[in-house]
């Protein structure tokens, strides 16, 4: 155990975690020259194309330092705020963390939040200035920021470049010198923490774990404490570039277990594995079910594909445990699923993976968050879908989820960002200058205001400089109403939304105008209305396409023309009663980009 080091890499998006991980693998000769490629640990196509990490990846490296062989277990983590849960689990399996800061961009919001996660778990932090080969790099200035943030010594900060490989050996030596070896009792009963799981179509679910106490042997009967299921350890081993089977995995090691598990629900990240014959007395703390933040409906374009979509979603859930879904039906779109996501990026990635990996073209409805409605008889109802909101006459009040947002930006963009947050019903907390021209702003704001276009607007106001991090702080009472959109007096449930009363009129007017542009003209007149309860607050009319029926009357009596027009009017009226309006996919998407 004295020669094992478990560490993870934490940083903001695009600060060069994956590139640095590539260099570590190359310099410890874990990857042969022939297999070397960029972002070697990001194995999904989307990860490589977008240059983001979505899943945590674990890998074991060997290194000889001062004539002594060491085993280094590296866990590369995602940097985006939507995947903070992945990061927190990875951190729990480590004793040290490399905190990577881009020397041309300085400290960002996600850097700080990931750092706090690491400090809560008492990890040894090794600060690294990355990208020092860039012409725009500001090593002195960013080092001052790091010293102010962590309180470390100036000389403790390592300088490196993932691209050129400069300073990588210093990082490996620092990991061995500064990160403590894992603590644990080799003689105690088996206790292991699951920090990730992946699905393999041949072997079932493979769980990744770190052994805290005891050891695991091949062929043992093991038990997952939180789900209370028992399994037979068919194959165990360590994680290299490929999985390497072993007969025994000891205390402090990171490994994997294959036991033919088929259902994703049975493996929960953060769960404890123990031995059936000799169980541990208490499980590892800090386990929680991941809570979705944003809800949206996903429907197949062709209703016959519903079963196929269900299978695709189930397979996707095996690879991404944070996706939650349940079947629902909509009058406008037929059968589909109500899905819960961690955030907007997560939703976008799920949609893209459905299209790529399963060839499913889907319609996504307007995203919203979950509300709590309290009825006059004292009952509490959880509302995930606007159509579930109880009748206003029976509702006492409605609560919505609030978040605490932390925004770090250059001070010149402060005014624009504050006015954006106030426009989104934000309450400004404190402002804190990190350096002379970088400021940290804290806001409390409703989650529902963030799910639409907040992030895009924040980026455009600050020219891409501002970074956002947020965490939920509970529910608060709000004056919310349900806004219905109706076409020819028929409500379209997929377009309805729960919205703050002050904004309802404006929102309703905008949606009606947008739909008027997007819905093609029919043979009959279409009325588009926005309503709160029975009160219509906005209306637009799409006029009918009509033939000039009076063209054949030249001269003659006016009553002949009137007779033809009346006949046409009666036909249009009858057509309107039986005609239905097809809503194009662009109309559902346009609601997301109303401004």
């Amino acid at each position: 155990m004295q020669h094992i080091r478990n560490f993870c890499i934490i940083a903001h998006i695009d600060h060069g975690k994956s590139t640095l991980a590539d260099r570590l693998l190359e310099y410890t000769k874990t990857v042969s020259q022939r297999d070397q490629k960029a972002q070697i640990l990001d194995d999904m196509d989307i990860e490589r194309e977008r240059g983001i990490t979505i899943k945590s990846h674990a890998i074991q490296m060997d290194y000889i330092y001062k004539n002594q062989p060491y085993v280094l277990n590296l866990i590369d983590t995602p940097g985006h705020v939507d995947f903070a849960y992945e990061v927190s689990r990875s951190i729990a399996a480590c004793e040290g963390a490399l905190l990577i800061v881009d020397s041309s961009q300085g400290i960002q919001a996600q850097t700080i939040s990931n750092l706090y996660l690491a400090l809560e778990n008492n990890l040894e932090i090794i600060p690294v200035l990355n990208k020092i080969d860039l012409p725009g790099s500001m090593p002195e200035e960013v080092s001052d920021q790091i010293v102010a943030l962590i309180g470390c010594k100036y000389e403790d900060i390592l300088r490196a470049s993932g691209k050129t490989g400069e300073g990588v050996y210093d990082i490996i030596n620092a990991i061995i010198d500064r990160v403590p070896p894992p603590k644990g009792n080799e003689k105690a009963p088996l206790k292991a923490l699951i920090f990730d799981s992946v699905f393999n179509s041949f072997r079932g679910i493979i769980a990744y774990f770190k052994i805290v106490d005891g050891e695991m042997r091949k062929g043992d009967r093991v038990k997952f404490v939180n789900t209370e299921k028992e399994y037979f350890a068919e194959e165990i081993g360590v994680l290299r570039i490929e999985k390497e089977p072993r007969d025994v995995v000891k205390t402090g090691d990171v490994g994997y277990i294959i036991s033919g598990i088929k259902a994703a629900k049975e493996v929960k990240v953060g769960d404890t594995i123990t031995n059936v014959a000799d169980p541990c007395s208490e499980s590892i703390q800090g386990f929680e079910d991941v809570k979705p933040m944003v809800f949206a409906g996903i429907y197949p374009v062709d209703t016959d594909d519903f079963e196929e979509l269900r299978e695709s979603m189930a397979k996707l859930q095996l690879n991404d445990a944070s996706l939650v879904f349940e079947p629902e039906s909509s009058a406008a779109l037929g059968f589909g699923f109500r899905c819960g996501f961690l955030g907007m990026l997560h939703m976008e990635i799920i949609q893209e993976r459905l299209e790529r990996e399963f060839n499913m073209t889907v319609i996504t409805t307007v995203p919203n968050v979950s509300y709590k409605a309290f009825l006059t008889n004292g009952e509490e109802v959880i509302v995930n879908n606007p159509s579930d909101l109880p009748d206003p006459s029976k509702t006492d009040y409605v609560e919505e989820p609030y978040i605490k947002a932390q925004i770090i930006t250059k001070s010149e963009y402060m005014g624009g960002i504050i006015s954006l947050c106030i426009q989104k019903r934000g309450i400004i907390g404190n402002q804190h200058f990190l350096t002379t021209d970088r400021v940290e702003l804290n806001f409390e704001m409703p989650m529902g205001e963030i799910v639409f276009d907040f992030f895009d607007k924040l980026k455009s106001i600050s020219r891409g400089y501002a970074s956002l991090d947020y965490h939920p702080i509970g529910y608060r009472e709000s004056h919310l109403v349900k806004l219905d959109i109706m076409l020819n007096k028929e409500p379209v449930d997929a377009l309805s939304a729960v919205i703050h009363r002050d904004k309802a009129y404006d929102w309703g007017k905008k949606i009606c105008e947008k739909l008027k542009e997007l819905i093609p003209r029919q043979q009959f007149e279409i009325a588009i209305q926005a309503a709160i309860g029975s009160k219509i607050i906005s209306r637009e009319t799409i006029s009918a396409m009509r033939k000039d029926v009076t063209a054949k009357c030249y001269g003659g009596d006016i009553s002949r023309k009137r007779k033809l027009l009346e006949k046409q009017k009666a036909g249009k009226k009858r057509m309107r009663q039986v005609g239905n309006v097809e809503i194009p996919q662009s109309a559902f998407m346009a609601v997301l980009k109303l401004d």
Side-chain angles (χ1 to χ4, degrees):
M1 265 170 64
Q2 289 310 308
H3 304 124
I4 297 177
R5 299 286 182 272
N6 296 324
F7 68 101
C8 59
I9 301 185
I10 52 177
H12 189 75
I13 319 161
D14 266 352
H15 279 204
K17 300 178 292 301
S18 299
T19 314
L20 202 66
D22 289 351
R23 290 294 86 77
L24 290 173
L25 295 177
E26 186 185 327
Y27 283 38
T28 54
K29 299 191 172 55
T30 309
V31 184
S32 64
Q33 209 65 44
R34 196 182 59 193
D35 298 334
Q36 186 67 39
K37 57 181 179 180
Q39 293 162 278
I40 198 155
L41 294 178
D42 293 349
D43 43 16
M44 270 192 268
D45 292 347
I46 299 180
E47 289 185 316
R48 306 181 75 87
E49 274 168 33
R50 292 185 168 216
I52 53 176
T53 307
I54 298 169
K55 296 263 314 159
S56 299
H57 299 276
I59 192 159
Q60 191 179 81
M61 305 177 280
D62 291 326
Y63 187 68
I64 294 173
Y65 179 61
K66 295 180 181 169
N67 296 328
Q68 174 66 52
Y70 283 88
V71 173
L72 309 177
N73 288 311
L74 153 70
I75 301 175
D76 180 22
T77 62
H80 197 278
V81 56
D82 282 6
F83 307 112
Y85 183 75
E86 288 265 335
V87 181
S88 68
R89 292 298 108 226
S90 308
I91 285 176
C94 296
E95 280 82 37
L98 292 181
L99 178 75
I100 293 183
V101 182
D102 182 335
S103 62
S104 61
Q105 292 187 11
I107 284 173
Q108 307 271 351
Q110 200 57 32
T111 317
I112 294 182
S113 88
N114 284 342
L115 171 72
Y116 287 155
L117 275 177
L119 290 172
E120 278 169 25
N121 284 299
N122 300 324
L123 299 198
E124 177 64 40
I125 309 285
I126 302 177
V128 178
L129 265 186
N130 197 15
K131 305 193 187 179
I132 55 165
D133 57 313
L134 288 182
S137 142
M138 312 172 291
E140 307 305 322
E141 201 179 305
V142 180
S143 296
D144 292 340
Q145 292 178 20
I146 296 176
V147 170
L149 179 69
I150 313 181
C152 62
K153 293 193 183 73
Y154 199 79
E155 54 273 15
D156 287 349
I157 301 172
L158 303 175
R159 296 188 178 188
S161 160
K163 191 163 149 196
T164 62
E166 185 185 337
V168 174
Y169 282 121
D170 298 342
I171 294 178
I172 301 174
N173 297 344
I175 290 165
I176 293 172
D177 287 336
R178 297 193 209 169
V179 176
K183 299 179 186 66
N185 184 350
E186 297 179 7
K187 302 281 184 285
L190 169 69
K191 186 197 280 188
L193 167 77
I194 299 179
F195 64 85
D196 198 5
S197 65
V198 292
F199 176 69
N200 179 315
S201 45
F202 301 107
R203 312 291 308 264
I205 291 179
I206 303 171
Y208 295 168
F209 60 81
K210 176 206 171 184
I211 297 193
V212 181
D213 291 330
E215 59 181 31
M216 189 186 290
R217 291 188 171 277
K218 185 178 175 177
D220 280 356
R221 273 199 76 71
V222 293
K223 179 182 176 185
F224 290 19
V225 178
N226 281 302
T227 53
E228 297 193 338
K229 298 261 199 258
E230 294 184 7
Y231 303 102
F232 180 68
E234 284 171 33
E235 183 184 313
I236 59 171
V238 293
L239 299 152
R240 294 294 173 108
I241 285 292
E242 300 295 331
K243 297 177 180 60
E244 264 184 30
R246 297 275 169 93
D247 287 334
V248 58
V249 181
K250 298 191 167 164
T251 313
D253 253 332
V254 173
Y256 70 91
I257 175 170
I258 299 178
S259 50
I261 306 170
K262 296 287 186 291
K265 296 183 198 68
E266 295 178 22
V267 180
K268 294 199 166 165
V269 174
D271 201 347
T272 308
I273 307 178
T274 188
N275 210 315
V276 175
D278 184 12
C280 58
S281 51
E282 56 183 34
S283 60
I284 298 162
Q285 294 309 305
F287 169 77
E288 54 180 294
D289 276 330
V290 55
K291 294 181 185 67
M293 283 296 191
V294 174
F295 293 87
I298 287 188
Y299 293 85
V301 173
D302 183 359
T303 28
D304 300 344
D305 297 342
F306 175 70
E307 280 305 321
E308 208 176 313
L309 181 63
R310 183 200 293 272
E311 280 172 29
S312 308
M313 299 278 275
K315 282 180 186 161
L316 202 51
Q317 194 181 34
L318 296 172
N319 271 328
D320 185 347
S322 40
L323 169 68
V324 186
F325 67 92
E326 56 183 43
E328 70 163 4
S329 66
S330 141
L333 298 170
F335 290 106
F337 294 96
R338 185 96 199 138
C339 306
F341 307 99
L342 299 175
M344 289 297 276
L345 176 78
H346 187 210
M347 171 173 147
E348 214 176 293
I349 281 170
I350 293 287
Q351 205 177 333
E352 202 166 314
R353 286 183 70 183
L354 278 172
E355 283 181 16
R356 281 198 183 183
E357 294 170 26
F358 305 100
N359 287 333
M360 296 295 308
T361 351
V362 291
I363 295 176
T364 316
T365 63
V366 185
N368 64 325
V369 296
S370 60
Y371 301 95
K372 286 182 181 171
F374 291 86
L375 306 181
T376 40
N377 62 7
E379 267 183 68
E380 179 187 329
V381 180
I382 304 256
V383 181
N384 286 337
N385 192 342
S387 54
D388 300 343
L389 198 70
D391 190 80
S393 58
K394 294 178 186 159
T395 314
D396 189 12
Y397 60 94
V398 180
E399 286 186 350
E400 64 177 333
Y402 265 70
I403 56 156
K404 185 167 186 156
Q406 178 190 36
I407 297 169
I408 294 180
T409 176
K410 287 196 165 178
S411 47
E412 62 197 86
Y413 307 121
M414 224 168 99
I417 289 175
I418 290 177
S419 63
L420 170 71
C421 292
I422 288 170
Q423 187 189 333
K424 297 280 187 190
R425 299 192 284 136
I427 305 157
I428 188 159
N430 54 350
Q431 303 171 12
H432 169 60
F433 277 88
L434 300 168
T435 60
T436 47
D437 69 333
R438 288 172 73 80
V439 63
E440 177 189 325
L441 304 169
N442 285 303
F443 288 92
E444 289 183 358
M445 55 203 302
M447 180 78 195
E449 296 285 346
I450 269 197
V451 296
F452 273 118
D453 50 3
F454 180 78
F455 195 63
D456 297 346
K457 283 189 176 168
L458 179 70
K459 284 292 185 197
S460 49
I461 286 175
S462 66
R463 303 205 187 133
Y465 273 111
S467 55
L468 165 77
D469 179 54
Y470 58 83
H471 59 268
I473 50 172
Y475 283 76
R476 296 185 188 173
E477 189 176 337
S478 256
H479 201 82
L480 300 167
V481 291
K482 180 182 162 201
L483 182 73
D484 284 314
I485 303 294
M486 303 195 290
L487 295 180
N488 284 346
K489 309 236 168 86
E490 286 290 317
V492 182
D493 54 358
L495 288 173
S496 58
V498 175
I499 199 158
H500 196 267
R501 181 167 285 251
D502 298 350
K503 291 192 168 185
Y505 173 74
D506 201 31
W507 176 261
K509 191 169 184 304
K510 276 184 188 162
I511 288 192
C512 290
E513 284 166 3
K514 197 79 186 171
L515 289 176
K516 185 180 179 181
E517 287 169 29
L518 293 169
I519 293 176
R521 284 174 72 182
Q522 309 281 345
Q523 291 287 343
F524 50 91
E525 185 182 275
I526 304 170
I528 304 171
Q529 294 167 312
I532 295 174
S534 55
K535 185 183 174 194
I536 305 290
I537 56 170
S538 173
R539 170 177 172 141
E540 293 287 332
T541 309
I542 300 176
S543 52
M545 291 194 282
R546 41 185 357 151
K547 195 168 129 193
D548 186 1
V549 285
T550 59
K552 60 184 180 188
C553 299
Y554 44 94
D557 189 22
I558 184 77
S559 59
R560 287 179 62 197
K561 288 185 180 173
R562 195 170 287 148
K563 184 179 160 193
L564 288 168
L565 288 169
E566 288 294 332
K567 190 177 171 188
Q568 185 189 32
K569 194 172 164 188
K572 294 279 178 207
K573 191 175 174 186
R574 195 165 62 246
M575 201 188 273
R576 184 174 164 180
Q577 282 164 356
V578 295
N580 62 349
V581 187
E582 285 285 310
I583 307 174
Q585 160 73 14
S586 56
F588 295 105
M589 298 319 291
V591 182
L592 303 180
K593 305 182 179 72
L594 265 188
D595 301 342

